[in-house]
């Protein structure tokens, strides 16, 4: 962030702080002080092991083998403080992420390594590798008339993609250029999410990253924002996940992924409004002085050329309210948070000119103009890929939620709006409630929400302080809020892999399963993010897939995951199914009452038909089932899907064949899974993972 | 005799015997919802044509001179003797149907198929993403709408439901079905069971274990959804999933769309409680070499037309309960571009099929295509808001009265499209 806005607007904060004066003192306690016995788990009648299990269920993606004992030994309070500080050394994550090269790239590197198709086509055409559709079209009967009607969008396409020789040419071209598929980068993005959830020691940071990404949702399904989703999580979300809300708000507001997803990048001052640049030019004219004449001439020339270029571009101009509305409705105040349509318009006007300095091949279209504007000092601001354009910013005064924003201040308008929203009591309530929903129950106790909201306000949105209020509450530890949450599909997968102590070498198949259970990672289309409630995840189809995931994971049918189930019990082989059940329920569901699960499963395990048939030769997999292995990336499970990948994948942008997908498939040559019949232990573990109890946290 | 509990959304639970006679769900429906006609309920089947179909190529005003001059390479003659297969099919009402839709002409002649022309969104966006989003939420211009219109429609049906009430034949739930009412995304009905590749007997036994665990769990949502899941599995096996064959007269092409519609017909005929179905058809973004009677557009149109015709035949006696509607996010430029294609435009057209449909007509109002009448000087103007059509179909066919909930922020009038 450029500078702290908190200090620059003391009055606003002080006023909202007055509401919570009594809490300010307790919330401002030194976080470095001894953490002993602040969490009231003893008062709730829990043992240290029970407290550890509950913390790991909520502030982590479940317990790994032996972890409940380790956390209990360290002390639940100390563990929680380390999680807030995110200061555990990471033993496994760096090595797991090292081969995923895209994760460390700048946007510039990312886009030049994984170019969008259109850019790659353009280049291939320019290099004479293939013909553009425009040329092909121009050869048609209508010739010149048709060509004149062609627009820019049309120039991006290459004809003949259905012809193998054309595809081969493009493939060759991409290989020579060292280009890789966006799909591959997306594979790395989803993989890192799984790796971190499974292996990170600083689990709370990952849980909160997941939470805030969903709160400030963007999606891979929108072509324009897709290349920025990785850096959005890396640069805007994760570093702020345990920081301040105001920090998150600004980081997301200025990130290309959000600017493009909610269209603020397109939002410009309405015709008739004064722009900041016009004002800035006026001011500089007035300054006059010794070099006044020269300066004026340079400015005039600059403005003239700028205007001509703007006209030539013929971009649709005007206000786009999408970001402004969702910023208030979803990110801060909430739908009943007390704003009007006039506020939406005023906020949209405040954010005019907040746009993207496009990295990659598109930069050259604007680079000269932006550099000229920066040199002319007409109010442009550049922060990485974020660009503030004074020429499209509405510089007239605005009234936002009762606060007057004076005219002519450029980028400060938007930053002030973020201050106003971050300090608003409705925001405190919305965020407090959402956190309580995530960590306690779909319908959290109102008293808890109120106290968290007070802490939020008193600490100016210090997220650690809010989480501390949560964990120090009696509600958090009360038996009434125990196991109240249904895990999301991602949590099901991550907690399964953790509980089993699984070795994950390629998470992509796991990610397919997560999609089948109802959660396509990074691909929720609506800015609401996934609703965080049981009914979102639990329906008949999704539930069946949870059962199937458990069974198939435990029996070695999820690719890229290896297990050693016996090691969980010190390498002992269970003597019977019943014995396995009795041993593995407490291993996989630590400190839960597994009695019900054991009781219900026992009769089934005695089924002689089952026992009698588990030995013998491995049956051949049915062809229909094997197709899972070659199914395209996002959770498509059937044979028909494979043949239709190209069309399916393009649903958002139309119907073009996806060249990059085919490239990816060409490179894929994995052997099929060897489908051994599951051992009795694998069956039992599969049933436990698919059980109702394992779906809860 | 075996008995099973059948959970019905909305609280009903019936103890039923099964194994003989009509499918047990059928009886459940009778027992729980006396108002329902015997057998199945009304079903709305929707097909989203992703990519934006060129409505002016699908259904063209016959003899429009300006269209011919806008589209020198895309024009098709009205029926001429020389090349009958490649000519527009005369619909007899001043419009010609693209010849690749020839499988639909019997339905047109029977007055079951109607076209609504110049239909679209009031929002000017030409982005596929935004326009699809707006059409699927039913709230043009608003990104934050949490639910899709089909989900709201399913929720407003006001009677008990089975797990198959709202089904999308897609790998993930489409935006149209986001929302509070539970909806199923499934691409292959055969996958709807407890599965363990290579170990069917174990899967079967595990299914028994899961069923008893979910039956007795104390968490009520897991319990009811678990019961639903296993009921659904039993329903499908009762519907003789493995041995099911479509009507031999139904001539489905071999395409993903046809696969989807074939399974939708199967669900309809199996009486498993389907009421809202969603399928999608890709490939309509014809920027390049759109073709005329052959080519990119024609291939997509042939698939769509053949699939719809086969679906209708396949339905047989169930036809009277089904209305099928197509939709697409926007239309395409009135002028062809330099590559023999068309670019993103505004208004398009859609098809509605059903026994109660006021068919054999082109509904809506197609304005003159003169240059100054075009939307932003380039596109077909929208004269019918898509919600005027969707709410008519949802209202008359599904009996949904609460249009303020179905399409919040909209109080336009419905277009008259269905009888009754």
């Amino acid at each position: 962030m450029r500078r702290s806005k908190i200090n620059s607007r003391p009055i606003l904060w002080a006023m909202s702080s007055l509401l919570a004066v009594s809490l300010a003192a307790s919330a401002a306690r030194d976080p470095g002080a001894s953490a002993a016995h602040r969490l009231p788990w003893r008062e709730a009648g829990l043992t240290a092991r029970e407290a550890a299990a509950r913390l790991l269920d909520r502030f982590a993606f479940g317990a790994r083998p032996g972890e409940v004992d380790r956390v209990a030994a360290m002390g639940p309070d100390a563990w929680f403080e380390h999680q807030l500080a995110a200061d555990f050394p990471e033993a496994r994550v760096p090595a797991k992420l090292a081969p995923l090269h895209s994760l460390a790239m700048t946007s510039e590197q990312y886009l030049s390594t994984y170019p969008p198709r259109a850019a790659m086509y353009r280049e291939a055409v320019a290099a004479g590798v293939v013909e553009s559709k425009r040329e092909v079209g121009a050869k048609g009967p209508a010739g010149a008339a048709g060509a004149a009607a062609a627009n820019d969008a049309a120039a991006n396409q290459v004809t003949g993609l259905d012809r193998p020789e054309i595809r081969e040419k493009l493939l060759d071209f991409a290989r020579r250029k060292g280009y890789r598929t966006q799909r591959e980068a997306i594979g790395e993005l989803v993989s890192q999410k799984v790796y971190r959830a499974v292996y990170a020691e600083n689990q709370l940071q990952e849980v909160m990253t997941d939470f805030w990404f969903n709160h400030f949702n963007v999606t891979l399904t929108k072509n324009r924002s897709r290349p920025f989703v990785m850096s959005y999580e890396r640069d805007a979300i994760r570093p702020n996940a345990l920081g301040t809300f105001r920090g998150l708000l600004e980081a997301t507001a200025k990130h290309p992924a959000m600017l493009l997803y909610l269209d603020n990048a397109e939002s410009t001052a309405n015709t008739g409004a004064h722009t900041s640049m016009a004002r800035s030019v006026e001011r500089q004219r007035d300054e006059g002085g010794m070099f006044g004449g020269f300066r004026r001439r340079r400015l005039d020339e600059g403005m003239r050329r700028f205007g001509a270029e703007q006209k030539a571009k013929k971009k649709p101009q005007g206000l786009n309210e999408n970001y402004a509305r969702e910023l208030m409705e979803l990110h801060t105040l909430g739908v009943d948070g007390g704003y009007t349509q006039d506020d939406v318009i005023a906020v949209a006007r405040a954010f005019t000119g907040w746009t993207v300095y496009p990295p990659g091949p598109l930069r050259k279209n604007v680079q000269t103009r932006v550099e000229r504007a920066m040199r002319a000092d007409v109010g442009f601001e550049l922060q990485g890929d974020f660009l503030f354009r004074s020429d499209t910013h509405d510089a007239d005064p605005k009234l936002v939620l009762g606060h007057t924003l004076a005219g002519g201040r450029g980028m400060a308008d938007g930053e002030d709006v973020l201050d106003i929203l971050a300090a608003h009591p409705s925001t405190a309530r919305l965020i407090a409630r959402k956190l309580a929903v995530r960590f306690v129950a779909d319908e959290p106790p109102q008293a808890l929400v109120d106290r968290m909201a007070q802490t939020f306000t008193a600490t100016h949105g210090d997220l650690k302080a809010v989480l501390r209020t949560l964990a120090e509450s009696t509600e958090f530890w009360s038996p009434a809020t125990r196991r109240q949450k249904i895990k999301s599909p991602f949590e099901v997968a991550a907690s399964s892999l953790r509980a089993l102590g699984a070795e994950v070498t390629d998470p992509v198949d796991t990610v397919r399963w997560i999609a089948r259970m109802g959660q396509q990672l990074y691909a929720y289309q609506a800015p609401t993010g996934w609703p965080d409630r049981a009914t979102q995840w639990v329906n008949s189809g999704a539930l069946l897939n949870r059962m199937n995931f458990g069974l198939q994971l435990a029996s070695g049918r999820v690719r890229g995951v290896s297990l050693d189930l016996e090691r969980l019990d010190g390498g002992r082989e269970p003597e019977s199914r019943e014995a396995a059940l009795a041993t593995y329920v407490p291993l996989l569901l630590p400190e839960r009452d597994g009695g019900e699960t054991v009781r219900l499963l026992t009769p089934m395990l005695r089924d002689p038909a089952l026992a009698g048939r588990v030995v013998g030769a491995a049956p051949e997999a049915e062809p229909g089932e094997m197709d899972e292995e070659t199914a395209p990336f996002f959770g498509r499970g059937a044979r028909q899907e494979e043949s239709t990948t190209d069309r399916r994948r393009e649903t958002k942008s139309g119907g073009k064949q996806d060249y990059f997908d085919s490239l990816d498939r060409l490179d894929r040559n994995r052997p099929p899974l060897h489908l051994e019949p599951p051992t009795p232990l694998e069956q039992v573990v599969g049933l436990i993972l698919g059980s109702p109890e394992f779906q809860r946290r | 005799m075996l008995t099973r509990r059948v959970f019905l959304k909305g609280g009903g639970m019936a103890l039923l015997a099964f194994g003989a006679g009509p499918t047990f769900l059928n009886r459940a429906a009778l027992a729980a919802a006396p108002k329902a006609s015997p057998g199945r309920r009304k079903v709305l089947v929707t097909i989203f044509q992703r990519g934006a179909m060129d409505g002016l190529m699908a259904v063209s005003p016959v003899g429009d001179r300006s269209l011919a001059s806008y589209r020198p390479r895309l024009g098709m003659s009205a029926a001429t003797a020389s090349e009958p297969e490649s000519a527009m099919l005369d619909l007899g009402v001043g419009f010609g149907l693209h010849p690749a839709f020839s499988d639909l002409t019997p339905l047109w002649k029977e007055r079951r198929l109607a076209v609504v022309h110049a239909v679209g969104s009031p929002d000017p966006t030409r982005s596929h993403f935004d326009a699809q989003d707006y059409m699927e939420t039913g709230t043009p211009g608003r990104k934050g709408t949490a639910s899709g219109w089909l989900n709201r429609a399913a929720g407003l049906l006001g009677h008990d439901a089975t797990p198959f009430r709202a089904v999308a034949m897609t790998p993930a739930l489409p935006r149209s079905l986001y929302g509070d009412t539970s909806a199923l995304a499934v691409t292959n009905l055969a996958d709807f069971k407890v599965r363990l590749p290579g170990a069917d007997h174990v899967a079967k036994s595990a299914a028994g274990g899961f069923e008893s665990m979910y039956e007795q769990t104390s968490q009520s949502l897991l319990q009811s959804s678990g019961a639903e899941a296993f009921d659904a599995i039993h329903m499908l096996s009762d519907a003789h999933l493995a041995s099911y064959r479509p009507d031999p007269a139904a001539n489905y092409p071999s395409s993903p769309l046809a696969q989807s519609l074939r399974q939708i017909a199967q669900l309809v005929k199996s009486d498993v409680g389907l009421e809202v179905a969603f399928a999608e058809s890709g490939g309509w973004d014809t920027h390049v070499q759109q073709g005329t009677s052959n080519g990119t557009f024609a291939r997509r149109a042939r698939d769509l037309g053949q699939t719809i015709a086969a679906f209708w035949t396949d339905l047989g006696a169930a036809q009277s309960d089904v209305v099928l509607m197509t939709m697409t996010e926007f239309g395409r430029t009135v002028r062809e571009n330099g590559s023999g294609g068309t670019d993103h435009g505004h208004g398009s057209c859609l098809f509605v099929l059903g026994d109660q449909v006021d068919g054999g007509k082109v509904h809506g109002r197609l304005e003159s295509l003169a240059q100054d009448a075009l939307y932003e000087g380039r596109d077909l103007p929208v004269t019918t808001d898509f919600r005027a059509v969707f709410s008519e179909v949802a209202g008359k066919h599904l009996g949904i009265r609460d249009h303020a909930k179905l399409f919040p922020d909209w109080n336009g009038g419905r277009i008259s499209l269905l009888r009754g």
Side-chain angles (χ1 to χ4, degrees):
Chain A
M1 207 186 317
R2 207 166 49 102
R3 64 199 151 104
S4 160
K5 307 301 294 185
I6 291 170
N7 295 333
S8 64
R9 286 173 186 78
I11 296 178
L12 199 64
W13 281 113
M15 278 171 56
S16 46
S17 302
L18 279 176
L19 300 171
V21 148
S22 61
L23 266 120
S26 69
R29 270 188 306 215
D30 174 10
S34 160
H37 314 317
R38 243 201 272 125
L39 309 183
W41 46 271
R42 281 198 184 82
E43 292 82 337
L46 301 185
T47 65
R49 263 187 63 88
E50 287 167 338
R54 186 174 290 201
L55 286 173
L56 287 163
D57 249 3
R58 291 185 181 171
F59 292 134
F61 290 104
R64 295 176 60 81
E67 199 168 14
V68 168
D69 288 326
R70 287 196 296 277
V71 172
M74 168 192 305
D77 298 80
W79 181 85
F80 179 62
E81 283 304 317
H82 282 296
Q83 290 298 325
L84 284 181
D87 61 0
F88 280 128
E90 290 295 354
R92 302 287 316 269
V93 171
K96 287 290 180 189
L97 301 191
L100 310 181
H101 300 296
S102 67
L103 301 180
M105 288 183 181
T106 63
S107 299
E108 186 65 41
Q109 293 167 328
Y110 188 98
L111 279 158
S112 51
T113 311
Y114 308 95
R117 265 200 320 271
M120 208 279 290
Y121 291 162
R122 254 199 310 272
E123 227 190 303
V125 169
V129 172
V130 288
E131 286 180 308
S132 78
K133 58 173 260 187
R134 195 194 290 263
E135 291 162 28
V136 174
K139 288 177 191 160
N151 70 3
D152 288 346
N156 295 339
Q157 275 112 28
V158 170
T159 189
L161 277 178
D162 46 348
R163 303 215 308 269
E165 68 273 19
I166 302 276
R167 291 161 79 91
E168 197 46 50
K169 276 185 186 176
L170 282 165
L171 196 76
D172 252 16
F173 177 72
R175 282 199 190 112
R176 265 183 308 176
K177 288 288 202 175
Y179 291 153
R180 317 211 52 122
T181 67
Q182 283 212 0
R183 190 183 146 109
E184 196 178 327
I186 291 168
E188 297 191 355
L189 172 65
V190 295
S191 294
Q192 62 89 33
K193 187 171 169 78
V194 173
Y195 280 140
R196 288 175 190 274
V198 172
Y199 291 112
E201 297 297 334
N202 295 299
Q203 283 276 297
L204 182 57
Q205 187 164 43
E206 298 312 317
V207 168
M208 292 308 292
T209 298
D210 183 59
F211 174 86
W212 289 119
F213 189 103
N214 194 53
H215 180 77
F216 294 104
N217 189 44
V218 300
T219 175
L220 289 172
T221 61
K222 185 163 184 172
N223 287 346
R224 295 189 65 199
S225 46
R226 182 185 304 147
F228 301 101
V229 171
M230 184 278 290
S231 66
Y232 181 74
E233 182 180 87
R234 182 190 65 194
D235 302 338
I237 303 290
R238 181 171 289 106
N240 294 300
L242 287 164
T244 67
F245 183 73
R246 177 63 180 75
L248 269 168
L249 207 50
E250 182 158 334
T252 55
K254 288 183 172 173
H255 198 280
M258 183 61 80
L259 288 163
L260 294 167
Y261 174 49
L262 287 178
D263 311 319
N264 202 76
E266 312 290 309
S267 185
T268 59
N270 275 330
T271 330
H274 299 94
T275 64
S276 283
M277 185 159 92
R279 278 171 180 267
S280 163
V281 168
E282 285 307 314
R283 197 173 56 243
Q284 291 189 36
R285 275 171 181 285
D286 296 345
E287 280 163 12
M290 197 194 293
F291 302 107
F294 169 72
R295 194 176 173 86
R296 217 169 12 246
R297 275 196 301 282
R298 207 184 79 185
L299 273 171
D300 288 347
E301 172 64 7
M303 286 300 290
R304 196 185 57 73
R305 287 169 65 179
F306 213 97
E309 278 160 2
Q310 282 304 111
K311 273 204 195 100
K313 268 175 59 198
K314 272 194 291 188
K315 268 224 159 178
Q317 296 275 309
L319 207 58
N320 186 312
E321 297 170 12
N322 279 332
Y323 177 66
R325 182 176 296 110
E326 307 316 343
L327 172 66
M328 290 192 281
E329 177 173 328
L330 303 173
H331 298 169
T332 58
L333 306 178
V335 66
D336 300 317
Y339 61 92
T340 65
Q341 175 60 23
D342 287 345
D343 291 318
V344 172
I345 292 169
V347 168
R349 288 173 53 218
F351 283 107
T352 47
W354 287 47
T355 189
V356 178
Y357 189 40
L362 290 177
R363 176 158 294 181
K364 66 178 187 304
N365 298 343
V366 292
Q367 189 163 9
T368 319
R369 262 175 298 148
V370 168
E371 283 170 359
R372 194 182 305 139
M374 296 296 290
R375 275 197 307 274
D377 192 20
V378 287
F380 273 45
E381 304 215 30
L382 202 49
Q383 299 171 7
D385 299 333
F386 170 76
L387 172 66
F388 174 76
R389 288 181 57 156
S390 58
D391 61 319
T392 58
H393 178 71
D394 178 340
D396 290 337
K398 305 162 188 82
L399 184 66
V400 173
L401 294 161
H403 301 260
T404 302
L405 307 180
R409 299 169 325 133
M411 195 168 76
D413 271 356
E415 292 175 341
D416 280 3
V417 167
L418 298 181
D419 285 345
I420 294 167
L421 294 174
H424 198 286
S426 294
T427 301
R429 280 192 294 270
L430 183 92
I431 301 303
R433 184 178 160 81
K434 206 161 175 177
L435 284 165
V437 166
R438 168 77 178 218
F439 289 111
V440 178
D442 288 4
E443 291 296 333
Q446 188 59 42
L448 171 62
V449 174
D450 291 344
R451 288 201 307 283
M452 290 167 69
Q454 282 161 358
T455 303
F456 185 97
T457 301
T459 62
H460 307 165
D462 176 349
L463 301 171
K464 287 190 182 86
V466 177
L467 288 174
R468 211 174 260 123
T469 299
L470 169 72
E472 289 171 3
S473 72
T474 51
E475 290 91 339
F476 182 88
W477 298 100
S478 115
T481 60
R482 198 164 169 238
R483 300 147 69 225
Q484 284 301 296
K485 292 294 290 184
I486 298 294
K487 292 175 186 172
S488 70
F490 181 67
E491 290 170 331
V492 168
S495 62
S496 300
L497 295 168
R498 285 174 65 81
L500 299 174
E503 187 58 39
V504 183
T505 48
D506 179 1
V508 167
D509 203 26
T510 299
V511 172
R512 283 195 198 102
W513 272 105
I514 295 168
R516 279 184 209 126
M517 293 189 275
Q519 195 176 15
Q520 282 186 302
L521 296 180
Y522 302 103
Y524 194 75
Q525 194 169 319
T528 53
W530 278 289
D532 183 7
R533 56 170 183 263
T535 51
Q536 170 67 25
W537 304 126
V538 178
N539 64 60
S540 49
L543 213 47
L544 263 179
N545 279 320
R546 286 175 183 237
M547 300 174 208
N548 286 332
F549 173 67
L551 277 182
Q552 301 204 19
L553 174 65
S555 59
R557 282 159 171 76
V558 175
R559 254 177 208 292
V561 177
S562 48
L563 302 173
D564 184 349
L565 297 180
E566 286 169 10
R567 206 188 51 182
L568 295 179
D569 186 32
R572 278 182 289 274
E573 195 178 336
E575 285 169 9
S576 64
R577 284 185 175 77
E578 287 94 328
L581 191 63
T583 310
Y584 281 79
V585 163
L587 281 175
L588 299 176
L589 291 162
E591 300 306 319
R592 297 273 191 94
D593 178 7
E596 185 180 86
T597 305
V598 172
R599 182 173 57 80
L600 293 172
L601 283 178
T602 304
M604 193 280 289
L605 297 178
R606 293 191 181 126
D607 179 356
L610 176 68
R613 289 164 77 176
V614 285
V615 282
E620 289 299 310
E622 302 159 32
E625 317 260 51
M626 288 299 292
D627 279 346
E628 297 233 331
E629 272 46 75
T630 49
F633 173 66
F634 270 132
R636 339 249 145 141
R639 173 184 285 269
Q640 55 156 342
E641 295 300 320
E642 177 68 4
S643 61
T644 63
T645 318
D646 292 347
R647 270 182 222 106
R648 296 269 181 189
R649 189 161 317 286
E650 273 310 306
T651 54
K652 295 303 167 203
S653 61
K656 292 152 292 201
Q657 290 230 315
D658 195 324
Y659 158 76
F660 272 110
D661 274 356
S662 2
L663 179 133
D664 189 69
R665 273 208 302 282
L666 284 177
D667 292 340
R668 194 164 29 166
N669 201 8
R670 295 181 301 188
L673 281 177
H674 184 53
L675 301 180
E676 298 278 353
T679 67
L681 178 56
E682 288 170 346
Q683 294 170 34
V684 166
V685 168
L687 283 162
I688 297 170
L689 296 179
S691 72
E693 191 59 35
F694 197 81
Q695 311 313 310
R696 309 172 69 174
R697 62 166 173 87
Chain B
M1 176 173 274
L2 287 165
T3 57
R4 279 198 61 75
R5 284 166 304 112
V6 176
F7 282 85
L8 294 160
K9 278 251 162 54
M13 187 179 106
L15 262 181
L16 296 165
F18 76 108
T23 62
F24 69 94
L25 181 86
N26 196 340
R27 295 195 219 163
L30 284 172
K35 79 177 177 67
S37 58
R40 63 187 67 85
R41 287 172 169 151
K42 297 296 181 191
V43 187
L44 172 60
V45 177
T46 57
I47 300 174
F48 205 115
Q49 296 171 265
R50 307 268 186 206
M53 177 183 70
D54 183 3
L56 286 173
M57 179 167 265
V59 179
S60 296
V62 172
D64 189 298
R65 282 168 192 277
S66 45
L67 188 59
S69 70
Y70 293 137
R71 300 183 158 198
R73 280 177 292 167
L74 300 183
M76 272 167 289
S77 54
T80 56
S82 57
E83 280 182 278
E85 301 87 41
S86 63
M88 299 291 283
L89 306 161
D90 189 359
L91 292 175
V93 289
F95 287 89
L97 184 67
H98 190 282
F101 283 123
S102 60
D103 292 275
L104 296 178
T105 45
L107 298 167
W108 176 269
K109 287 181 182 141
E110 294 161 14
R111 303 193 154 275
R112 290 190 167 112
L113 178 69
V115 171
V116 184
H117 222 312
V119 69
S121 168
D123 191 274
T125 182
R126 292 189 181 91
S127 142
H128 292 295
F129 178 87
D130 291 346
Q132 290 180 14
D133 201 69
Y134 293 153
M135 187 165 274
E136 298 200 65
T137 57
T139 57
R142 281 193 80 101
K143 288 272 170 83
T145 308
S147 57
W149 80 277
L150 284 175
N151 191 287
R152 294 195 296 277
L156 289 167
L157 287 169
H159 51 243
D160 295 335
T162 75
F164 293 102
R165 171 158 70 184
V167 176
M169 302 303 305
T170 48
L173 221 48
R175 186 77 165 92
S176 304
L177 280 169
Y178 280 18
D180 293 335
T181 300
S182 87
L184 209 58
V186 56
T187 48
N188 189 347
L189 294 176
D191 288 346
F192 199 86
K193 60 181 182 192
V194 175
R195 300 169 67 219
L196 198 53
D200 280 350
H201 54 288
V202 177
K204 211 169 218 169
S205 160
F210 284 131
E211 189 167 5
S212 68
M213 281 194 289
Y214 279 85
E215 216 161 53
Q216 297 184 52
T217 178
S218 57
Q219 214 279 358
S220 62
L221 184 67
L222 288 173
Q223 187 199 33
S224 61
S225 297
E228 259 182 44
F230 287 100
D231 280 346
I233 293 171
H234 295 300
M235 275 181 218
L236 285 180
S237 61
D238 282 7
H240 305 297
L241 195 65
S243 59
Y244 172 86
R245 295 286 176 274
D247 187 314
N251 194 11
Y252 285 105
S254 61
S255 70
L257 176 67
Q259 179 96 309
S260 299
L261 271 286
R262 194 177 56 72
Q263 297 189 83
I264 291 171
Q266 181 180 353
L267 288 173
V268 173
K269 294 196 291 181
S270 307
D271 295 339
V272 294
L274 180 71
E275 297 179 81
V276 172
F278 180 95
E280 51 189 26
S281 156
W284 296 95
D285 198 16
T286 49
H287 286 284
V288 188
Q289 301 298 315
Q290 185 167 325
T292 54
S293 52
N294 285 300
T296 319
F297 182 95
R299 278 195 294 278
R300 308 311 308 135
R302 193 163 295 118
D303 177 38
L304 182 65
Q306 283 180 357
T307 298
I308 292 175
F311 172 72
W312 203 250
T313 303
D314 194 6
L315 285 179
Q319 284 169 1
S320 57
D321 293 313
V322 176
V323 164
L324 177 146
M325 176 172 75
T326 63
M327 62 190 88
T328 193
E329 65 263 32
F330 43 68
R332 311 194 67 83
T333 47
V334 169
R335 286 182 190 80
E336 65 183 33
N337 63 23
S339 339
T342 49
D343 298 319
H344 299 177
H346 199 48
S348 189
C349 71
L350 60 75
F351 297 102
V352 186
L353 169 65
D355 287 358
Q356 293 81 36
V357 169
D358 184 12
K361 290 183 186 168
V362 175
H363 297 260
R365 199 175 79 249
L366 192 75
E367 305 265 355
S368 140
L369 295 178
Q371 170 64 38
D372 43 356
L374 297 181
Y375 178 74
E376 296 185 351
R378 46 175 273 171
D379 301 333
L380 182 64
V382 169
T383 54
T384 300
D385 190 307
F386 69 86
R387 291 167 293 186
V389 181
F390 293 9
S391 63
E392 165 78 357
V393 172
K396 293 249 181 77
H397 185 61
L398 296 178
I400 291 168
R401 304 264 168 270
D402 195 343
H403 289 271
K405 283 210 179 107
L406 192 59
F407 293 113
D409 310 331
W410 184 68
N411 43 28
R414 284 151 51 167
I415 185 172
S416 178
L417 206 56
L418 270 69
R419 287 183 288 269

